[in-house]
């Protein structure tokens, strides 16, 4: 059909109209050259009209569209279409002057003019629509991806409870694909006892249009009954059809965990240990009943306070260190520390602390367990005190292996008394320090303990020290347990002093008997000394006269014997009188050197006849306060005893020294036969003598000891058989 011919865009009014259009208008001739390019086209393509006019229209499209465009224009030209009729409409791509491509929508029409056919193309920039459509598609894709990947069960229900759709998570949760459940009633997945409540909520949402928040129900899945909490809301599609979109989360494990937590909370509350939860900064967030009992604070008073409020002054730094270790992920176990209760009481506790973590391992807090160890501490202190008492005891205390009899524990008293170290004793057995026992004999002794016939044995024996010396002991041995094993426990008393005291008592009794005898003799002697002295004097006088006047030697010898025996009787009487009646003359300063010289001089001839030499060293010493006559009696007695000991001659050593500024010392030493060790302790006893009964009275040394004691001094003796004896007299100045 022929179209009306119009002039080719020469009308100013037409140009004005075309210039005002919102779309780009481009006119081309039969050779596809631009003959019109309105202002919108200039803005769209970035070319001015002057640049565009005369240019081939292919310049304004990407090369890949040019052949297709030329073919389209050719077919359009051959078609019998009205010159103003919009031709094929579709999207193509435009090309801007800067090289950017952009989507366009084009409509083409044909106009017959006197100069030939013209083709008008109306172009619309589709960039914004394309971007919007792309965004819509992207949103749809993201939404579908979200629904497919979200870890929530999403179910779309009709208002009658029919399943309209559910996501892949719902498929895996229920164990059924969406295609198999769409159209089925949701009641198929609800336990019978909960269906009414679920459908009532569906109807309420459809009726009121208000969403539900955290609606909990049980559902039946391929894994059994599960618990789900739902959020549901009323939605509508593009046509306005209502539906209910429900989003659910499986809380089965949470419920189980909650139940476990409830049980744990009950355990925490019933625990005898204080269990305290804190933040990472040490702020208390939980406080059980035991914590209240131990520390005196109620939960309201404790929660929100720093845990260091429980620390004793000076120990808060220790608590801070424990918190710091816990915050770093380390566990702290059984640290003993002192805490303070609300009442100010010091509470010893065993404190453990460990980090509290989330399921992904993040540390979010600390948990402290404090055990009141007051009783254990007191018990431990009591045990320590007892152990200290045992260790410091002067008695020997042993713990011995019941099988081997090796030492397992030994107190200090035993170690010091025996002279062994603990390690050395551990190498020994109890029998090793008891020389009186063999292993067989000792086993026989303790057999009643092993057989439980007795609970304790008590016996006396001797212990041998490391240095070889021995001492008497009393042993209390019993069977028991030590460090979880069967042991013998021995408490040993050193009875040296007891033995010595018993010996002294026996000795005292013996001496007492002798002293009683001496007292009787002394009393008798004192009573009759005068009566005996008078006839003795007469006998002595006549005997001396007979010895001088008798003509024959035999009778003179007999007279000499009478003289000698009278002298012995006189000496005996004098000695008894000295013991019965100590000297009553006043003490005066006495030169001990002069007394010694006189004593030696009086007996020098007797010593010479016995072939005994004298070595005297009488250094100058201060005077002593005493009785010279009685001291001389002591010195002569010692000299005579020394001479009697040197039956084959020898040397008598006499010395006088001043060992310090308060004493003088006289030493008289012989080279005679010596005194046996068992005899030496008794030589100063009255009436004890080692000489023959005809040559000694047993009173000489006893009298000497008495005289020296009267002078405030001491006399002692040392002797070595076969070497000699030395007497030492120490007198005060």
């Amino acid at each position: 059909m022929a179209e009306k011919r119009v002039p080719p865009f020469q009308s100013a009014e037409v140009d004005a109209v075309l210039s005002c259009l919102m779309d780009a208008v481009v006119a081309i001739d039969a050779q596809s050259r631009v003959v019109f390019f309105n202002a919108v086209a200039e803005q769209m393509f970035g070319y001015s009209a002057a640049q565009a006019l005369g240019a081939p229209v292919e310049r304004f499209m990407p090369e890949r569209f040019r052949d297709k465009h030329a073919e389209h224009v050719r077919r359009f030209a051959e078609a019998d279409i009205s010159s103003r009729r919009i031709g094929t409409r579709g999207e193509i791509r435009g090309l801007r002057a800067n090289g950017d491509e952009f989507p366009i929508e084009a409509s083409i029409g044909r106009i017959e003019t006197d100069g030939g056919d013209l083709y008008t193309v109306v172009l619309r920039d589709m960039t914004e629509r394309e971007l919007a459509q792309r965004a819509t598609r992207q949103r749809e894709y993201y939404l579908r991806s979200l629904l497919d990947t979200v870890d929530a069960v999403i179910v779309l229900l009709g208002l009658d409870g029919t399943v309209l759709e559910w996501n892949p998570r719902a498929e895996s949760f229920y164990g059924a694909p969406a295609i198999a459940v769409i159209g089925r009633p949701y009641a198929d997945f609800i336990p019978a006892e909960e269906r009414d409540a679920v459908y009532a909520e569906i109807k309420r949402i459809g009726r009121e249009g208000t969403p539900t928040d955290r609606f909990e129900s049980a559902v039946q899945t391929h894994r059994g009954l599960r618990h789900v909490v739902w959020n549901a809301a009323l939605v509508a599609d593009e046509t306005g059809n209502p539906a209910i979109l429900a989003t659910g989360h499986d809380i089965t494990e949470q419920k189980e965990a909650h139940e476990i937590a409830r049980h744990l909370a009950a355990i925490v509350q019933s625990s005898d240990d204080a269990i305290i939860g804190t933040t990472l900064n040490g702020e208390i967030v939980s406080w059980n009943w035991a914590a209240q009992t131990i520390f005196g604070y109620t939960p309201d008073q404790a929660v929100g306070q720093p845990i260091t409020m429980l620390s004793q002054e000076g120990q808060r730094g220790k608590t801070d260190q424990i918190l710091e270790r816990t915050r770093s992920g380390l566990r702290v176990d059984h640290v003993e520390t002192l805490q303070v209760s609300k009442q100010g009481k010091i509470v010893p506790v065993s404190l453990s602390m460990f980090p509290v973590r989330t399921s992904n391992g993040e540390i979010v807090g600390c948990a402290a367990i404090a055990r009141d160890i007051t009783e254990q501490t007191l018990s431990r202190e009591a045990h320590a005190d007892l152990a200290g008492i045992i260790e410091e005891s002067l008695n020997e205390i042993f713990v011995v292996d019941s099988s081997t009899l090796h030492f397992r524990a030994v107190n200090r008293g035993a170690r010091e008394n025996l002279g062994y170290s603990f390690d050395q004793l551990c190498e020994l057995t109890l029998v090793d320090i008891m020389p009186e026992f063999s292993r067989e004999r000792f086993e026989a002794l303790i057999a009643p303990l092993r057989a439980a016939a007795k609970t304790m044995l008590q016996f006396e024996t001797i212990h041998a020290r490391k240095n070889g010396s021995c001492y008497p002991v009393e042993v209390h041995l019993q069977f028991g347990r030590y460090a979880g094993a069967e042991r013998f426990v021995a408490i040993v008393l050193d009875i040296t002093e007891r033995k010595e005291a018993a010996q002294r008592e026996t000795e005292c009794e013996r001496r007492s008997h002798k002293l009683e005898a001496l007292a009787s003799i002394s009393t008798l002697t004192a009573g009759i000394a005068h009566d005996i002295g008078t006839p003795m004097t007469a006998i002595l006088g006549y005997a001396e006269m007979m010895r001088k006047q008798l003509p024959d030697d035999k009778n003179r010898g007999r007279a000499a014997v009478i003289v000698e025996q009278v002298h012995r009787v006189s000496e005996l009487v004098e000695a008894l009188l000295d013991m019965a009646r100590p000297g009553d003359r006043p003490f005066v300063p006495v030169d001990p050197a002069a007394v010694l010289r006189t004593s030696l001089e009086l007996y020098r001839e007797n010593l010479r006849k016995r072939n005994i030499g004298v070595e005297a060293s009488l250094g100058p010493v201060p005077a002593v306060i005493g009785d010279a006559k009685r001291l001389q009696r002591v010195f002569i007695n010692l000299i005579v005893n020394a001479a009697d000991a040197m039956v084959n001659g020898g040397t008598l050593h006499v010395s006088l020294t001043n060992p310090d500024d308060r004493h003088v010392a006289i030493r008289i030493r012989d080279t005679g036969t010596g005194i046996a060790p068992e005899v030496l302790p008794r030589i100063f006893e009255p009436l004890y003598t080692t000489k023959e009964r005809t040559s000694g009275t047993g009173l000489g040394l006893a009298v000497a000891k008495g005289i020296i004691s009267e002078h405030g001094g001491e006399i002692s003796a040392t002797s070595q058989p076969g070497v000699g004896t030395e007497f030492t007299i120490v007198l005060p100045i």
Side-chain angles (χ1 to χ4, degrees):
M1 183 177 65
E3 296 291 337
K4 182 179 179 180
R5 294 178 177 269
V6 295
F9 300 101
Q10 295 178 359
S11 168
E13 292 80 0
V14 174
D15 289 345
V17 171
L18 293 175
S19 298
C20 293
L21 291 175
M22 298 299 294
D23 294 329
V25 179
V26 178
I28 60 176
D29 59 15
Q31 288 75 36
S32 294
R33 290 189 298 271
V34 177
V35 296
F36 182 80
F37 205 76
N38 74 343
V40 177
E42 289 179 323
Q43 294 177 357
M44 184 181 295
F45 289 98
Y47 291 97
S48 65
Q51 293 172 319
L53 292 177
V57 73
E58 287 81 2
R59 174 187 292 181
F60 305 102
M61 64 185 68
E63 185 174 355
R64 66 182 180 279
F65 290 101
R66 292 174 183 175
D67 292 342
K68 184 176 180 181
H69 172 70
E71 178 63 21
H72 176 72
V73 172
R74 184 185 62 78
R75 289 200 307 269
F76 181 75
E78 294 175 351
D80 186 14
I81 301 174
S82 172
S83 61
R84 295 301 300 167
R85 186 175 181 180
I86 299 298
T88 303
R89 187 180 180 89
E91 291 185 4
I92 59 174
R93 311 294 288 182
L95 182 65
R96 302 187 196 278
N98 62 6
D100 290 343
E101 292 187 17
F102 62 99
I104 58 176
E105 185 179 76
S107 299
I108 188 169
R110 181 171 52 194
I111 302 174
E112 294 181 0
T113 66
D114 293 339
D117 290 343
L118 295 178
Y119 302 96
T120 60
V121 181
V122 179
L123 302 169
R124 180 168 295 171
D125 189 341
M126 300 301 294
T127 301
E128 291 185 2
R129 181 190 295 178
E130 184 179 77
L131 291 176
Q133 290 174 344
R134 185 183 302 166
T136 299
R137 289 193 302 272
Q138 193 173 38
R139 282 196 301 274
E140 290 176 351
Y141 172 78
Y142 288 157
L143 180 59
R144 173 53 61 183
S145 297
L146 178 64
L147 293 176
D148 289 347
T149 59
V150 69
D151 191 31
V153 176
I154 300 177
V155 180
L156 186 66
L157 301 175
L159 297 184
D160 60 353
T162 301
V163 178
L164 302 178
E165 184 65 88
W166 66 18
N167 69 338
R169 178 69 181 90
E171 291 180 330
S172 62
F173 178 70
Y174 287 100
I179 192 171
V181 299
I182 292 175
R184 287 174 55 185
Y186 186 63
D188 292 350
F189 302 95
I190 305 173
E193 64 271 14
E194 295 202 18
R195 288 174 188 168
D196 291 344
V198 173
Y199 270 77
E201 185 64 18
I202 291 174
K203 291 178 180 179
R204 186 198 67 76
I205 296 172
R207 181 177 65 255
E208 298 177 3
T210 56
T212 186
D213 183 33
R214 300 195 64 78
F215 178 80
E216 187 176 332
S217 71
V219 296
Q220 192 66 47
T221 72
H222 69 290
R223 292 190 297 164
L225 201 65
R226 308 291 291 180
H227 293 273
V228 181
V229 63
W230 297 96
N231 291 325
L234 189 66
V235 297
D237 61 14
E238 64 274 9
T239 64
N241 293 322
I244 295 175
L245 181 65
T247 303
H249 293 276
D250 185 357
I251 60 169
T252 305
E253 283 77 14
Q254 295 178 28
K255 284 180 71 68
E256 292 173 352
H258 178 73
E259 188 65 19
I260 293 173
R262 189 177 66 81
H263 286 297
L264 288 175
I267 293 172
V268 167
Q269 284 302 318
S270 61
S271 172
D272 291 333
D273 294 335
I275 301 177
I276 304 168
T278 74
T279 64
L280 290 176
N281 293 326
E283 180 181 319
I284 297 172
V285 295
S286 64
W287 184 264
N288 73 337
W289 175 256
Q292 179 174 341
T293 302
I294 294 172
F295 299 111
Y297 295 96
T298 65
D300 290 341
Q301 294 169 333
V303 172
Q305 299 298 320
I307 194 172
T308 52
M309 76 171 182
L310 303 175
S311 300
Q312 184 187 27
E313 193 69 32
Q315 291 211 3
R316 292 183 178 175
K318 189 174 183 179
T319 303
D320 288 334
Q321 291 176 358
I322 293 173
L323 273 170
E324 183 60 33
R325 285 176 59 84
T326 307
R327 281 194 292 265
S328 67
L330 300 176
R331 181 187 178 103
V332 178
D333 287 313
H334 308 302
V335 176
E336 293 192 6
T337 181
L338 298 178
Q339 306 291 296
V340 183
S341 70
K342 180 182 177 181
Q343 294 76 22
K345 176 184 175 184
I346 302 299
V347 183
V349 300
S350 174
L351 181 64
S352 298
M353 188 173 288
F354 51 89
V356 177
R357 302 176 186 269
T358 62
S359 58
N360 61 5
E362 179 186 2
I363 299 175
V364 295
C366 304
I369 300 176
R371 175 167 296 177
D372 185 349
I373 57 172
T374 300
E375 292 186 5
Q376 296 93 315
T377 301
L378 293 175
S379 176
R380 190 166 57 217
E381 290 175 353
H383 278 81
D385 291 343
L386 181 58
I389 292 171
I390 293 173
E391 173 66 12
E392 299 301 323
S393 173
L394 296 179
N395 293 331
E396 299 175 18
I397 300 176
F398 305 102
V399 177
V400 181
D401 187 283
S402 61
S403 299
T404 66
L405 299 183
H406 276 88
F407 293 105
R408 290 294 175 260
V410 185
N411 76 332
R412 189 171 73 175
R415 298 193 300 270
E416 291 181 351
N417 211 10
L418 291 167
Y420 290 100
S421 68
F422 175 71
D423 290 339
Q424 290 171 333
L425 282 169
C426 285
E427 299 297 324
L428 302 176
T429 69
L430 190 57
V431 177
D432 291 331
I433 64 170
M434 294 183 176
E436 290 185 337
F437 285 97
S438 64
R439 180 63 180 261
E440 293 75 15
R441 185 181 169 209
F442 191 77
E443 285 291 345
L445 175 69
I446 65 176
L449 285 181
R450 292 193 184 278
K454 289 187 177 181
T455 58
M456 187 186 73
L457 289 177
Q458 179 177 335
F459 58 94
E460 291 186 7
T461 184
I462 60 172
H463 274 186
R465 295 187 178 92
K466 182 180 179 181
N467 62 12
S469 62
C470 296
Y471 55 99
V473 294
E474 179 181 279
V475 180
H476 298 256
L477 187 66
Q478 60 188 51
F479 194 72
R481 295 188 67 83
Y482 175 81
E486 293 181 344
R487 300 285 190 253
F488 286 118
V489 179
I491 300 176
V492 180
L493 286 68
D494 184 343
I495 57 174
T496 301
E497 292 185 0
R498 185 199 301 176
K499 290 285 188 181
E500 291 175 349
Q503 290 176 355
R504 285 195 298 270
E505 184 177 355
T506 302
E507 186 67 18
C508 286
E509 290 177 357
R510 189 177 59 79
R511 289 183 179 182
S512 177
H513 293 318
K514 284 196 173 184
L515 289 174
E516 289 176 1
L518 285 173
S520 299
I521 294 172
S522 298
T523 302
L524 177 62
T525 301
I528 66 173
H530 183 270
D531 295 335
I532 294 177
T534 300
M536 285 297 102
T537 301
I539 293 171
L540 180 61
Y542 283 110
E544 288 283 359
M545 185 175 64
M546 289 173 62
R547 188 180 63 174
K548 293 177 181 178
Q549 295 179 357
L550 288 173
D552 57 291
D553 293 338
K554 184 176 182 179
N555 287 324
R556 283 198 301 274
R558 292 171 178 168
V561 171
I562 294 172
V563 171
E564 183 180 355
Q565 294 305 313
V566 170
H567 280 300
R568 287 193 70 241
V569 171
S570 298
E571 290 175 358
L572 177 60
V573 171
E574 185 66 24
L576 290 172
L577 287 173
D578 281 339
M579 294 183 64
R581 184 180 60 207
D584 53 1
R585 288 186 297 178
F587 283 1
V588 296
V590 174
D591 181 2
V595 177
L596 278 170
R597 289 191 189 95
T598 299
S599 302
L600 288 170
E601 188 62 31
L602 289 173
Y603 214 71
R604 185 177 299 278
E605 183 62 24
N606 185 289
L607 295 174
R608 186 185 64 77
K609 290 180 179 180
R610 297 189 181 192
N611 197 28
I612 296 173
V614 178
E615 292 184 2
S617 175
L618 308 179
V621 297
V624 299
I625 304 300
D627 184 338
K629 183 178 179 181
R630 292 171 68 78
L631 289 176
Q632 180 176 309
R633 185 178 182 84
V634 172
F635 298 155
I636 289 176
N637 181 274
L638 296 179
I639 292 170
V640 170
N641 285 345
D644 290 344
M646 293 183 283
V647 294
N648 297 318
T651 303
L652 177 67
H653 300 270
V654 180
S655 67
L656 177 64
T657 60
N658 183 203
D660 55 53
D661 57 0
R662 292 185 298 171
H663 300 89
V664 296
I666 300 99
R667 291 181 173 83
I668 299 175
R669 177 167 59 88
D670 63 59
T671 58
T673 57
I675 302 172
E678 64 274 12
V679 172
L680 189 63
R682 301 187 61 187
I683 61 175
F684 293 105
E685 295 178 9
L687 303 179
Y688 182 82
T689 180
T690 59
K691 299 178 182 179
E692 296 180 1
R693 299 184 63 86
T694 58
S695 60
T697 64
L699 293 175
L701 288 178
V703 171
K705 184 175 179 66
I707 293 172
I708 296 302
S709 296
E710 288 177 15
H711 284 73
E714 294 181 353
I715 183 171
S716 61
T718 59
S719 182
Q720 186 174 353
V723 177
T725 302
E726 180 178 82
F727 285 87
T728 301
I729 299 171
V730 179
L731 294 172
I733 296 173

